Amino acid sequence: MKVKVISILEDNYMYLVIEEQSKQALAVDPAVPHRLLEIVKREGLSLIGVLTTHYHWDHARGNKALVKEIPGLRVYGADDRIEGLTDKVIDSQELKFNSINVKCLFTPCHTSGDTCYYVWEDDCTDAPAVFTGDTLFIGGCGRFFEGTAEQMHHNLTKVLASLPPETKVFCGHENTIKNLKFAMLVEPENEKVKEMLSWAKARDDDDKPTVPSTLQEEFDYNPFFRLSEKAVQKFTGKTEPVEVMRALRKEKDKFKKPKDSLPPQAMLALQWGLLMSSKDHMGSAIKESD
């Protein structure tokens, strides 16, 4: 099983899960369908299914176009609001695509229908993967748009934490540096956070993605997994895990990533409006996900 990471929009990821022997593939959150189809064609793949983590347009808007382009294509998700949905899944439902297995994990909070997908291949020694959409990010978690701290606590500490620690985490957005800067604020003495932030900055300098991490790594530096740590409790002023989660998310919602100073040439370009990027016509509808 091979996972192809595809950067799209401003900071989103969509993915192709490829069974290398048959060249069949599953797409995860294919919000830019024409680009996905170009890659499918170029690599000689057959797209057999779409896994959608939640209904937000920057994850689900490509579904209808893909179903129209590929007759019989199945689109899986747990929310009726997902565009192009053909197969509604439920918690713990397992799907089988040749040697690739998918377990649907219901994780409501960011939206009321959020679902993560735990994926592994038969008779394969490689680590399994989990596609977390906007529930879990590297170093952070999604905003509680349609849910509660109790739900996110359950999602992280009961659902995702029950998976094997070596599970690779493929999330929906590239928010890693901002998340780790917040983690540094929460736990300034955490050496794992410092190491990961330095690594993430180097990846960013090389224009490379920071996905995947592993669940074990998240336990080491993601404050939303570390609710019982004294430093995290001290930062929030709370000790009960759900209250720590609630306070932590409130502080993260207010957190602004410290901006590095721009070089003079960039400042001049900014003043003249040369760095103003054109937004997608639906861009104003997106709320921050992290």
Side-chain angles (χ1 to χ4, degrees), residues 61-82:
R61 71 170 182 178
N63 293 350
K64 281 187 175 180
L66 290 173
V67 170
K68 184 178 181 180
E69 185 71 22
I70 305 173
L73 182 69
R74 313 308 295 176
V75 175
Y76 301 89
D79 194 325
D80 289 325
R81 294 172 292 180
I82 292 172

Side-chain angles (χ1 to χ4, degrees), residues 13 60 179 204 208 250:
Y13 287 122
N179 290 341
D204 185 62
K208 294 179 180 178
K250 185 176 180 180

